[in-house]
Amino acid sequence: MGSYNILHATTTCPRNGETGPVEIEFTFGRLDFRDYRVGDTLDWGTKGLREPKQRPVGGDYDNEGYVECPVCHKDYWVWITVRADVITDVRVDPTRPGHIP
């Protein structure tokens, strides 16, 4: 099992249209199962597991996160935006299919 962090956010499930709180798994920053919310400063860390291996220039980074809807139990992907080390946005990726049919 790999390490990841959790981002608590509100999204709209592309599978059922329900909007609500979700837990998004993501694998960047210092990976040690930390809990974040939009507006929190991401810990890039200097020890242990982390991806990318060092803080990006300016602290700006975009990467994906994985969600399993708490209502329909189907999955989907989101894009997480980090600007100046702060998690600033989460948006559903409608182009990437989930793993759960």
Side-chain angles (χ1 to χ4, degrees):
M1 174 183 199
S3 295
Y4 57 89
N5 293 314
I6 297 288
L7 175 59
H8 300 272
T10 298
T11 64
T12 299
C13 176
R15 305 283 202 96
N16 66 21
E18 293 285 327
T19 299
V22 293
E23 292 185 354
I24 302 165
E25 296 177 7
F26 67 96
T27 57
F28 56 88
R30 183 173 179 176
L31 300 177
D32 59 358
F33 304 102
R34 290 187 184 218
D35 287 298
Y36 290 98
R37 293 189 177 348
V38 173
D40 286 350
T41 300
L42 186 68
D43 179 4
W44 294 107
T46 57
K47 296 182 180 178
L49 297 172
R50 60 200 178 279
E51 180 64 35
K53 298 294 181 194
Q54 61 186 8
R55 177 182 177 265
V57 175
D60 293 347
Y61 194 69
D62 296 289
N63 208 327
E64 64 190 13
Y66 177 79
V67 181
E68 188 172 309
C69 176
V71 176
C72 70
H73 306 288
K74 303 226 178 200
D75 60 342
Y76 58 96
W77 295 89
V78 298
W79 278 99
I80 301 168
T81 302
V82 179
R83 293 294 175 263
D85 303 316
V86 175
I87 300 170
T88 60
D89 190 35
V90 176
R91 62 193 181 287
V92 173
D93 182 352
T95 66
R96 184 164 180 195
H99 297 296
I100 301 170

